[in-house]
Amino acid sequence: MMASSSSDLRRRMSPEDYKLACEIAVKRFKERKVEISDAIKTPFPFLETLRDNKLITNKIYEESKASCENQSAVPKVVYAVLNKMKEKCHLPLLEILFSEFMMKSYPDLNGICKGFKDVIENKILNQASTGGESAENRNTQLNIEQGTGENSYPFLSWLSLDKSNYTVTSSADSAECRNRKRASQRFHLSTE
């Protein structure tokens, strides 16, 4: 299936690709906490949004807010908050960070979000084109619960990718392609 210019890779990802995308997003979040912290210049609306979404407690909110009285301390406080986040909160946090509202509030998050998208997109498209091992077959640490239907991927709504030059195949198509390659190789070997 050929991707259109207004495509959304997230909607076309197989469950294995979605799991891989979540793993990449969490890994990248852990590697980019300093950059994310530096992009957040003011405590409002960052701290309030985390508290409202129950990603931080009122106690952490109050302590962090008090620590932000000195504006130059804001990135350090944000980093401390990000560092305290539990692993299970990383994907919901990314949903918030890369929401349209937050990226308008903190424009420097736009470049960080683009970096996340590029890394995820390249890995998934590369895996689809090479027929690489799926995320389902690897030993993963993430426990991702998926819903059903159109909202089957509760996280990564910010992952709207636009690459009209790529062909994205489902895992079934990839498996079929690999099987054809193997059959072709066996045929060539038997005729030599």
Side-chain angles (χ1 to χ4, degrees):
M1 152 165 84
M2 189 61 119
S4 69
S5 61
S6 62
S7 68
D8 181 354
L9 180 61
R10 186 180 64 87
R11 288 194 183 133
R12 294 175 307 166
M13 281 193 280
S14 68
E16 295 85 11
D17 287 344
Y18 174 73
K19 192 171 183 177
L20 175 62
C22 288
E23 291 171 5
I24 294 166
V26 168
K27 180 178 186 282
R28 191 158 176 88
F29 166 74
K30 290 176 182 179
E31 296 169 349
R32 299 292 189 259
K33 283 189 286 189
V34 170
E35 289 174 47
I36 293 168
S37 302
D38 191 52
I40 298 173
K41 308 292 187 206
T42 60
F44 181 84
F46 174 74
L47 292 174
E48 287 74 10
T49 304
L50 294 186
R51 182 188 59 183
D52 293 350
N53 284 281
K54 301 192 183 335
L55 293 178
I56 60 172
T57 63
N58 281 333
K59 181 182 178 189
I60 292 174
Y61 168 78
E62 293 298 335
E63 291 170 353
S64 300
K65 192 80 166 166
S67 298
C68 285
E69 288 179 9
N70 174 0
Q71 278 299 90
S72 65
V74 172
K76 291 177 185 173
V77 172
V78 170
Y79 183 85
V81 168
L82 296 178
N83 215 30
K84 290 179 186 176
M85 302 290 292
K86 292 182 169 85
E87 182 93 13
K88 68 180 182 175
C89 295
H90 291 167
L91 291 172
L93 173 65
L94 290 173
E95 283 298 298
I96 290 168
L97 284 175
F98 297 146
S99 68
E100 185 177 340
F101 171 74
M102 290 298 267
M103 291 202 296
K104 282 183 184 175
S105 298
Y106 305 109
D108 291 347
L109 287 175
N110 286 295
I112 295 168
C113 182
K114 183 178 179 342
F116 273 69
K117 289 177 184 181
D118 290 347
V119 167
I120 291 168
E121 176 184 28
N122 289 337
K123 181 73 173 176
I124 289 174
L125 292 174
N126 182 46
Q127 193 161 339
S129 67
T130 62
E133 183 181 272
S134 72
E136 186 176 63
N137 295 333
R138 290 182 288 115
N139 182 19
T140 61
Q141 298 299 314
L142 278 180
N143 179 17
I144 299 167
E145 294 180 19
Q146 296 182 19
T148 58
E150 195 169 315
N151 297 322
S152 61
Y153 302 136
F155 301 110
L156 306 181
S157 65
W158 47 270
L159 188 60
S160 295
L161 303 171
D162 178 25
K163 287 287 184 186
S164 56
N165 298 331
Y166 293 103
T167 301
V168 180
T169 59
S170 69
S171 23
D173 291 341
S174 294
E176 184 180 323
C177 184
R178 284 192 302 273
N179 290 338
R180 277 193 223 133
K181 284 181 186 176
R182 286 184 196 130
S184 175
Q185 289 171 343
R186 283 193 298 261
F187 175 76
H188 289 296
L189 289 174
S190 66
T191 58
E192 289 178 351

